[in-house]
Amino acid sequence: MNAYSAQTDESALTLLGKRLAAFRIRNNWTQAQLAEQSGVSKGTVERIERGDSVQVVNFIKVLRACGMLESFLSIFPDDSPSPMQLLYMGKIKSRQRVRSPHKNTNTANILADNAAEYNADKPANDASKTPWVWNEDK
């Protein structure tokens, strides 16, 4: 990797454009093909390669088409805390084992509880209408 210090903004854009053109040529893409893959105009690709100023969103589209967007975004490191830092700060609680329900739980009680919730909105004096129960007719 060459250590290069751009003296001006224009020289940095020119260097970036030359590197993009070299990358495009290495991949045997024409400017039109790269533009079509990116969803930008051919003129936008030409301007980037010349070192002219373009909209950032168009530049990001070209980088995405080249598969270089992640590399570009890695210029500025993610400053969010790592999982270990979160653990030390107490933001992440230690994992606990999930307990299974007790084996002596009676499923009839669960069904009765659900039936009580089902009938909660019906009047209590209507005893002739009882809810349907599975396998009742057998």
Side-chain angles (χ1 to χ4, degrees):
M1 181 180 227
N2 290 340
Y4 177 80
S5 175
Q7 300 298 319
T8 63
D9 296 342
E10 290 78 18
S11 62
L13 286 173
T14 301
L15 178 65
L16 192 60
K18 287 180 182 178
R19 289 185 180 180
L20 178 65
F23 179 83
R24 177 184 56 78
I25 292 168
R26 262 194 322 271
N27 287 299
N28 294 322
W29 295 337
T30 64
Q31 287 178 334
Q33 289 171 331
L34 179 57
E36 184 179 337
Q37 290 173 351
S38 304
V40 298
S41 69
K42 182 178 177 272
T44 299
V45 174
E46 291 171 352
R47 282 190 295 279
I48 292 172
E49 290 184 358
R50 265 195 320 257
D52 293 344
S53 181
V54 295
Q55 292 182 357
V56 175
V57 70
N58 290 335
F59 182 65
I60 287 175
K61 288 178 181 181
V62 171
L63 288 176
R64 186 185 313 274
C66 292
M68 301 299 288
L69 183 58
E70 289 301 318
S71 298
F72 179 72
L73 293 176
S74 68
I75 293 171
F76 298 106
D78 185 16
D79 62 346
S80 63
S82 71
M84 289 303 292
Q85 289 171 332
L86 289 173
L87 183 64
Y88 289 132
M89 292 178 348
K91 300 280 183 186
I92 297 178
K93 297 180 180 173
S94 60
R95 295 180 63 181
Q96 294 183 359
R97 181 179 219 170
V98 177
R99 299 186 71 163
S100 61
H102 297 290
K103 292 186 179 191
N104 62 0
T105 303
N106 189 353
T107 57
N109 289 339
I110 295 172
L111 290 175
D113 290 342
N114 290 340
E117 291 173 7
Y118 178 76
N119 290 329
D121 58 339
K122 293 186 179 179
N125 59 1
D126 191 9
S128 64
K129 293 184 181 180
T130 58
W132 181 80
V133 179
W134 189 262
N135 290 333
E136 178 182 85
D137 54 342
K138 288 186 180 182

